[in-house]
Structure formats: C-alpha cells, structure tokens
Amino acid sequence: MNTPLRTLAVAASILLLSACAGTAPASQGAPAGADPEVLEVLASTSVYADVARAVGGSAVRVSAIVEQTSQDPHSYEATARDKLAVSKADVVIANGGGYDPFMDALAEGPEQPGSPMLHAVDFLSDGGAEGAHASGDPTAPAGHDHAEGNEHVWYDVHTVGALARALADEYSALRPARAEEFTSAAAAFEARIDTLAASLQALRPKGAGKEFAMTEPLAYYLLTEAGMEDGTPAGVSAAMEAGEDLPPLLLKELGDGLAAHRYALLAVNVQTSGPQTDRVASLAGASGVPVLELTETLPAGQDYISWMESNVQQLEVALGR
C-alpha cells in the first residue's frame, strides 16, 4: 500500500473507533473520569428516577429503564443492556406488585451483586390516607375491588413521600458523610408531598359522594383521596388494562352510566389507550362528563411534584363543574 493510501486507512480506522466509542450505551458504566463517590441509581421508570434525584442531588447519577410516555411499563421486555445496568447500580428502585416484574428478573442470577432494591409498593401504608388503600375499602360498593392489589402506588402521594425517606436512609448507609444532606432533601421533598396531600384533602367536600369511572385503575389512589368513590363496573378496568375487548354488556353498562351522569368524571390512561379507550372517552365527551387524562410515566419537562400538581388541578376543574 502506498503512503497516501496507508494514511487514509489509518485515518478511517481512527474515525471508526471514535464513532464506536461515541455510541456506547450510557448504562455500560460510569463516564470516564466520573466521581467514584457518586452513587449509581437505576429506576424502573422515570417517576422513581425523579424521586431518586430529588433526594440524592449531586451525590447520585440516576437513570431509568422506561422513560418515554410512548412505552408501556406493563409490557416492557428487558434487554441485556438493562441487565448490565442493574449489575452496575448501587441502588435499584422498582414499583413491585406485578407492575414491573422485569426488574426482579434482571436482579436475579449469580453474576448480580445484590445491590439494594427498593419496591415502592412496600411503602404503601395499611390504608394510605384513608385506611383502605392496601387491602381494599370495606365500605366500597360490592363488586369494586380496585384497591385490592392495585399496583399503581405512585398515584398515592404518601407512598412516594415514604419512598423518599427510605431512599435517604439507603443513600446515607452507602455515603454516611452526606447523610445530613440526604435527610434534608427528603424532608424538603416530603414537605411538597404534604402540600399535594392538603390540596387533595381540600377537594374532599366537592368529591364526597361522587363516583368516578376508570378505563384502568391508574388513578384510584388519587381520586379516592379526594373523597370520590369508584363506580367503575367490575371487570372494565381489568379488561382494558390487559388489552382485552370489553364484553358488550360491560361496555353498555359503562356507556349508560356516562349518559345518565352517574359519574362525575372518567379517568383515562392515555399512555396505553386503544380503540376501546377512545370509544369510552368519546361516550363521556358526548355526555358532557369530564375526562381526566393521565399517564403512567412523567410527561416531558415535568418532575413528579409538578406532574401531580397538574393532575390535581385537572381534578379540581372536573369537580368544579
């Protein structure tokens, strides 16, 4: 090979190597030159990643497996890259309760270091704010069991506040020198949670005695804390969440309830919506029933607190009609 061609070949090789290095997955490890004292935290979704950052500040580097509202955490299929990310994490956060089983699967195996894994469902109180969240409301109408086994616990603001405290404890155990910083950050976060809870409590006079319907049991904790009652026909939410077609009789029952204004609002999970969800939402709109549009993960540009504030504001508008 003559000299000009050899020079071009070497240059091409350098460019190729540079390109490969530049596209390496972020989860393959900490960036070159990163502070080894910074904790690596991995969360199943952007919701818990945001809480982890709020508590850890500059002492943590946080990533989430499911980040986009276009992704459905229920059906997410983990990758080898995800497993590597779990193996390199100092702290892992999952929702639990069957919501993100891929997280527990990723943590299994002899090659995994056994880093602390926090499950948010473990911080759902024996009843949350009303004493009925974890085990089902004994005063709820027969046939409505959405509290029982409801894994959407990030819509219970008290659970998220308790998770923040637990994260502060976990971080403090790993980095004792910064324990005061973590504790202070968790307390500040909880103060904002308390404000959210107060806003929901303030809605109780408007929500008391009013029923809601849901396409999926996503908003149960949020709506019941505002004093509302779940009137969704039994079987509707489970079928929609599983992506199954609603039996005609159930669809008619729900549609009749909307047309008769039995429900003060319809809560819709727009992140996993489909033809049937859209149809039910159209029925609500045609009947003049407010539609509460909710997502499972953080919308772009929002953190957990601002997201929940916007959900509470939506609810306030709906109840004000």
Side-chain angles (χ1 to χ4, degrees):
M1 182 183 293
N2 60 36
T3 300
L5 288 176
R6 186 180 298 112
T7 301
L8 286 171
V10 171
S13 298
I14 292 172
L15 286 171
L16 180 60
L17 287 171
S18 298
C20 291
T23 56
S27 60
Q28 298 270 330
D35 184 350
E37 286 299 303
V38 172
L39 294 170
E40 297 290 339
V41 182
L42 180 69
S44 61
T45 72
S46 59
V47 175
Y48 297 122
D50 183 74
V51 179
R53 290 188 193 95
V55 176
S58 63
V60 298
R61 184 167 34 247
V62 185
S63 57
I65 291 180
V66 178
E67 293 187 286
Q68 307 298 323
T69 54
S70 59
Q71 296 174 292
D72 181 0
H74 290 280
S75 58
Y76 181 79
E77 294 185 6
T79 66
R81 178 178 174 178
D82 296 331
K83 193 167 186 69
L84 179 62
V86 169
S87 73
K88 293 181 178 297
D90 297 301
V91 177
V92 180
I93 310 167
N95 184 82
Y99 180 74
D100 45 12
F102 60 88
M103 292 298 287
D104 293 301
L106 287 170
E108 293 174 354
E111 74 280 9
Q112 298 299 70
S115 299
M117 178 182 283
L118 282 70
H119 292 86
V121 294
D122 293 339
F123 302 98
L124 181 67
S125 66
D126 282 342
E130 292 306 307
H133 289 175
S135 58
D137 185 347
T139 65
H144 301 293
D145 57 355
H146 299 115
E148 185 75 38
N150 190 334
E151 72 274 20
H152 305 92
V153 297
W154 64 96
Y155 270 92
D156 181 285
V157 296
H158 305 282
T159 295
V160 176
L163 174 63
R165 288 198 306 274
L167 281 169
D169 292 341
E170 207 66 63
Y171 295 164
S172 297
L174 294 169
R175 297 292 184 269
R178 304 187 73 163
E180 186 175 344
E181 177 184 335
F182 301 138
T183 302
S184 177
F189 183 84
E190 278 203 276
R192 301 184 72 189
I193 288 287
D194 290 342
T195 300
L196 276 171
S199 296
L200 286 165
Q201 287 294 307
L203 290 178
R204 292 185 69 81
K206 289 184 177 181
K210 292 182 178 178
E211 291 189 351
F212 62 85
M214 306 178 290
T215 59
E216 294 183 24
L218 186 65
Y220 177 86
Y221 298 119
L222 188 78
L223 300 179
T224 53
E225 180 147 356
M228 302 187 73
E229 297 175 5
D230 182 10
T232 313
V236 168
S237 293
M240 285 195 168
E241 190 171 34
E244 300 170 356
D245 287 339
L246 274 184
L249 284 177
L250 269 184
L251 183 59
K252 182 179 186 305
E253 182 181 352
L254 180 56
D256 287 349
L258 291 166
H261 290 269
R262 172 185 170 185
Y263 308 116
L265 61 85
L266 172 72
V268 175
N269 181 356
V270 296
Q271 189 159 338
T272 59
S273 63
Q276 289 210 96
T277 303
D278 295 341
R279 182 178 178 185
V280 172
S282 295
L283 289 173
S287 301
V289 175
V291 176
L292 202 66
E293 295 188 342
L294 304 166
T295 59
E296 301 204 26
T297 53
L298 292 179
Q302 296 215 45
D303 59 23
Y304 177 80
I305 298 294
S306 67
W307 178 42
M308 282 297 137
E309 285 174 342
S310 66
N311 290 331
V312 172
Q313 287 165 3
Q314 260 200 98
L315 177 56
E316 184 176 11
V317 170
L319 288 175
R321 293 193 181 189

